[in-house]
Amino acid sequence: EEFEASGIASVFSNRAVVTYSRLEDVLHGCSWKVNNKLDGTYLPLPVDKIVQRTKKMVNKIVQYSLIEGNCEHFVNDLRYGVPRSQQVWQPLPPPGSDSGSWRLLLPQGSNR
């Protein structure tokens, strides 16, 4: 199989290629900010270890899943050693509640 080296390609596949790009090349003039929102929950790994782990992943084909292994899982694993995503929400009514309720959908083995 051929894999396209773009983020959107991974949404339609169960695999993705890890690529290296300069931030300004990816943003195309859009604004950005650093959001290490889990720093209060997990201790980040030392910067040199994060960089080393990240460089080892470039050009690798990785498993991709919107629910169990998306880009947020990937970067949090590199930064904290914990593959966690806070983006995964699904509208599922808990038993006995109204259909408008929301519940967090967690992957198996999640610590939350």
Side-chain angles (χ1 to χ4, degrees):
E1 278 182 87
E2 272 190 42
F3 294 95
E4 206 170 310
S6 79
I8 194 67
S10 61
V11 173
F12 302 108
S13 173
N14 63 350
R15 295 189 238 179
V17 177
V18 178
T19 60
Y20 173 85
S21 299
R22 293 174 356 136
L23 186 59
E24 52 269 12
D25 293 340
V26 175
L27 293 174
H28 305 289
C30 295
S31 61
W32 62 277
K33 74 174 190 167
V34 173
N35 185 1
N36 295 324
K37 63 185 174 184
L38 295 179
D39 281 4
T41 305
Y42 301 106
L43 181 65
L45 297 169
V47 173
D48 60 330
K49 184 164 185 148
I50 296 170
V51 171
Q52 177 188 30
R53 295 175 80 207
T54 303
K55 285 182 177 180
K56 284 184 181 179
M57 296 305 297
V58 174
N59 296 321
K60 300 267 190 213
I61 296 172
V62 296
Q63 293 297 310
Y64 184 87
S65 163
L66 284 173
I67 295 171
E68 295 179 338
N70 64 37
C71 57
E72 188 179 15
H73 290 97
F74 180 77
V75 297
N76 284 330
D77 190 31
L78 291 173
R79 181 168 177 79
Y80 306 106
V82 179
R84 180 173 168 191
S85 174
Q86 295 180 318
Q87 298 178 39
V88 184
W89 288 85
Q90 179 176 348
L92 293 175
S97 68
D98 66 34
S99 61
S101 298
W102 286 78
R103 188 168 74 186
L104 180 61
L105 179 64
L106 295 172
Q108 284 186 319
S110 174
N111 292 333
R112 238 178 94 176

